[in-house]
Amino acid sequence: GTDFHVVLVDPPRAGLDADTLNSVSHFDYIIYISCNPQSLLRDMRDSLGRSHRITKFVAFDQFAHTDHLEVAVCLQKKPAVI
C-alpha cells in the first residue's frame, strides 16, 4: 500500500469543514493555502492547533489595493505526549 504523510488543502473562503479537519489532522504534514486568514485562524484555534504546529508562514498580497490576502502555512504534527 501507499503511505502518505503530506496533504495540501486549499479550502474556500469558509475554511475547512469538521469532517475534513478531522481527516487532515491525521497527516504528519499539512500545507494549508487560505484566501481568508480569519477562517485559517479559526481552523487553527478550534482544531489543527491541537495536533499541529506552524513551521512556516507566508502571506501573499496578490490583489493589491484590496483587503484580500492569500496565506500559506506549513504545519507539522506535534509529538505525541506520553
Side-chain angles (χ1 to χ4, degrees):
T2 305
D3 217 9
F4 293 100
H5 300 277
V6 180
V7 64
L8 169 71
V9 293
D10 187 1
R13 293 191 66 75
L16 296 172
D17 62 68
D19 289 336
T20 304
L21 283 166
N22 183 54
S23 294
V24 301
S25 70
H26 299 288
F27 284 84
D28 293 331
Y29 300 93
I30 303 168
I31 301 169
Y32 192 127
I33 309 297
S34 177
C35 62
N36 183 354
Q38 294 301 321
S39 62
L40 169 60
L41 176 63
R42 183 204 64 227
D43 289 348
M44 286 299 299
R45 182 189 61 229
D46 295 348
S47 180
L48 295 177
R50 296 181 191 138
S51 58
H52 290 73
R53 66 181 183 89
I54 296 173
T55 59
K56 295 185 181 176
F57 179 94
V58 64
F60 300 95
D61 185 8
Q62 295 179 315
F63 308 102
H65 311 294
T66 72
D67 293 337
H68 298 288
L69 191 66
E70 289 283 324
V71 178
V73 180
C74 295
L75 304 167
Q76 181 178 16
K77 194 166 205 59
K78 293 177 181 177
V81 177
I82 298 175

